[in-house]
Amino acid sequence: MSKNKTDYEAMNQNSTDNTAYQLNTAALGNGAITFAIMQTNFWVGDIAGNVKKMRALALDAKDKGADIVIFPELSLIGYPPEDLLLRPTLAERVKNAMNELAQIEGIVIILGYPHIDHHGTFNSAAILQGGAQKGFYHKQHLPNYGIFDERRYFAKGRNHVLFDYKGVTIGLLICEDIWHDAPIKALKDEGADLVVVLNASPFEIGKQAQRKELLNSQAKKHELPIIYANTVGAQDDIVFDGGSLIMQADGQIAHEGARFLNQLIMAQFDAAAKRFDTQAKPPLALSEESEMYQALVVGLRDYVNRSGFKGVIVGLSGGIDSALTLCIAVDALGADKVYAVMMPYEYTSNISLEDAAAQAARLNVSYTVCPIHDAVGGLRSTLAPLFVGEANGTTEENLQARARGTILMALSNTYGHMVISTSNKSENAVGYSTLYGDMVGGFDVLKDVYKTDVYRLANYRNRLEDNPVIPERVITRAPSAELRADQTDQDSLPDYDTLDAILKMYIDEDLGYKAICAAGFEPALVERVLSLVDRAEHKRRQGAIGTKITKKSFGRERRYPLVNGWAIKG
């Protein structure tokens, strides 16, 4: 069947049948189809800028011989647009943008966009050709878990969409649809020869292997080649890692996009053989440490650059967390945009001073030493009349952290650089941090990185160069906040191997007290750690955002009430 649509207004329906569109290929005949998959990033909300970028990329793809160019999920507005989808002018902006893109001649464009009509707002894919929008598809499976909140904004699509081009019947799906069996089966039953899937699939450790396993299974099960076009880059705390894939019907990978990089992937589909050509050289496989590190670099880079800051300030302590943060900042932004400040006090060791200076020199960043003795002394003097007869251990430690936080924010206000905090996921989990002190900042680079992974990443970064960028004793010495004499983290916390094992079970796997104890951990320790996590929710809620890399990050994915009566042992 064929339903010809000639303008954007004609798309304003939510068909519940299976819809097929016949594109104009009269002058082309049957044979090979050249696809251009645009693995790139689109700025959330910048519809005009995104249209300009799409136009340039589509014309470039046409010049390179592409018949069909594919842009990722919601590329017109960027992903995730969140409450921008509720803005009253969105429909008009989308309409104008789609009309402009439809005017591009000589190439078929498939792109993701928010479709708005009297049925609701849909997460959709459009087919543009020869001055008009020829068809559309609405996403059927709307994810509402983890970072996803699509049912808040979108209505569920119900029609299966195919279009014919040069004798090939192409079906459309969007992201979550391919993780379910019914949508692709329906396309196969309707005669699809291949399936195009638009994606904004976020990164987490091991995600690319999951994608490959899924596409291999779906392609073989339904005997359909699959084009999986993914976005790349970061939006707030989410990173998209690219890794776009083209899977043959037998489950073999024909093309794989690079990870964390913008890329144009050109692939030719043989209409007679129903197979894609094969890329000459697949991208290098990334180790777990490599993909984690690259995700952190991309997350910081895009957040700082798009926030409009001139650079970043790092409070460099001589410890491993700030050392790794400094490396990531330099790799993300360049040494000329990174400013390191060492703020020693009476408990700061000479080793810390030496190592901080050595790393700053090795990375060629601006480095300043700003002692906090006078700042802490002034606060102590001011508070002394109020603290008569009171013990001041924790208060004394927090005054140091807050003095440092005040100095960092003052520098930020004066010079226009973003403060990036250095707390890791283990510390954030148990509240081993100071509100308005070491937690200050606009972005927490290590927010979703457990302490044991901090060590892994530090060693990984050092292996990349002959001359290590992090002094070896920063990695090997006992970790310490240096807020009192002879302090180590293990004065207050279990060893990090044990702590992180418990935290991963409780946070990432959602296991409870009984299950964690059954795994062999001492019950009193489990109770203590879980209590620390629960009590620190108010701190985490006030902390800076940071790049998600694990299965479950604090913030978007793990949202607990600040005060509640939940019993750990219940």
Side-chain angles (χ1 to χ4, degrees), residues 50-358:
N50 293 340
V51 167
K52 183 178 179 181
K53 182 175 182 178
M54 285 180 176
R55 180 178 180 84
L57 291 173
L59 292 174
D60 179 62
K62 184 180 76 169
D63 291 343
K64 288 180 168 65
D67 299 304
I68 299 175
V69 59
I70 301 168
F71 293 102
E73 178 181 11
L74 285 178
S75 47
L76 187 70
I77 192 172
Y79 193 95
E82 298 183 292
D83 280 14
L84 292 177
L85 292 164
L86 308 179
R87 300 305 300 165
T89 61
L90 178 61
E92 185 67 20
R93 295 188 192 197
V94 170
K95 174 183 174 181
N96 293 337
M98 297 294 282
N99 285 337
E100 182 177 347
L101 288 170
Q103 302 311 310
I104 300 173
E105 298 285 348
I107 192 167
V108 176
I109 298 174
I110 301 173
L111 78 155
Y113 75 109
H115 181 111
I116 304 166
D117 61 31
H118 61 278
H119 292 287
T121 299
F122 299 87
N123 182 343
S124 303
I127 309 163
L128 307 179
Q129 185 198 32
Q133 182 170 338
K134 299 293 187 177
F136 65 94
Y137 168 72
H138 298 328
K139 187 174 184 179
Q140 297 181 54
H141 288 274
L142 303 175
N144 222 61
Y145 56 84
I147 68 162
F148 301 107
D149 201 14
E150 292 199 17
R151 293 179 197 170
R152 172 180 170 89
Y153 305 105
F154 296 118
K156 174 184 171 66
R158 302 186 185 281
N159 60 322
H160 305 292
V161 171
L162 305 99
F163 68 95
D164 291 329
Y165 187 83
K166 295 175 74 170
V168 176
T169 301
I170 302 170
L172 296 180
L173 296 176
I174 300 176
C175 207
E176 185 78 10
D177 292 335
I178 194 63
W179 294 82
H180 299 263
D181 200 49
I184 189 171
K185 181 179 184 302
L187 294 177
K188 176 68 175 181
D189 291 345
E190 289 295 314
D193 295 312
L194 70 86
V195 173
V196 172
V197 189
L198 310 188
N199 300 272
S201 176
F203 169 78
E204 66 182 47
I205 299 168
K207 188 66 171 288
Q208 186 70 351
Q210 295 175 32
R211 297 182 187 121
K212 289 180 180 180
E213 182 180 353
L214 168 76
L215 296 180
N216 172 277
S217 173
Q218 293 288 47
K220 288 194 297 186
K221 181 176 183 178
H222 301 285
E223 299 180 321
L224 281 173
I226 300 171
I227 297 177
Y228 182 96
N230 195 25
T231 193
V232 70
Q235 173 61 35
D236 296 343
D237 53 343
I238 305 171
V239 170
F240 303 96
D241 57 319
S244 299
L245 292 160
I246 298 179
M247 197 74 66
Q248 307 280 28
D250 61 7
Q252 297 299 307
I253 296 174
H255 292 261
E256 181 176 358
R259 305 282 299 287
F260 304 102
L261 294 173
N262 293 325
Q263 187 177 14
L264 165 60
I265 303 167
M266 300 286 287
Q268 193 169 79
F269 183 72
D270 186 320
K274 295 186 179 180
R275 286 187 67 84
F276 283 97
D277 64 338
T278 304
Q279 68 188 136
K281 187 177 181 181
L284 292 174
L286 301 182
S287 67
E288 190 172 282
E289 290 88 353
S290 179
E291 66 175 11
M292 290 165 67
Y293 192 86
Q294 290 194 46
L296 296 171
V297 167
V298 170
L300 179 64
R301 179 199 70 198
D302 287 1
Y303 189 79
V304 172
N305 288 338
R306 288 180 171 176
S307 297
F309 284 85
K310 299 176 183 178
V312 296
I313 301 173
V314 181
L316 196 58
S317 69
I320 191 169
D321 295 317
S322 64
L324 178 61
T325 298
L326 190 70
C327 288
I328 293 168
V330 170
D331 291 341
L333 304 168
D336 60 322
K337 292 186 177 180
V338 179
Y339 303 85
V341 183
M342 170 50 130
M343 295 166 286
Y345 189 55
E346 61 184 85
Y347 305 118
T348 303
S349 66
N350 287 331
I351 290 176
S352 294
L353 286 163
E354 292 168 3
D355 289 344

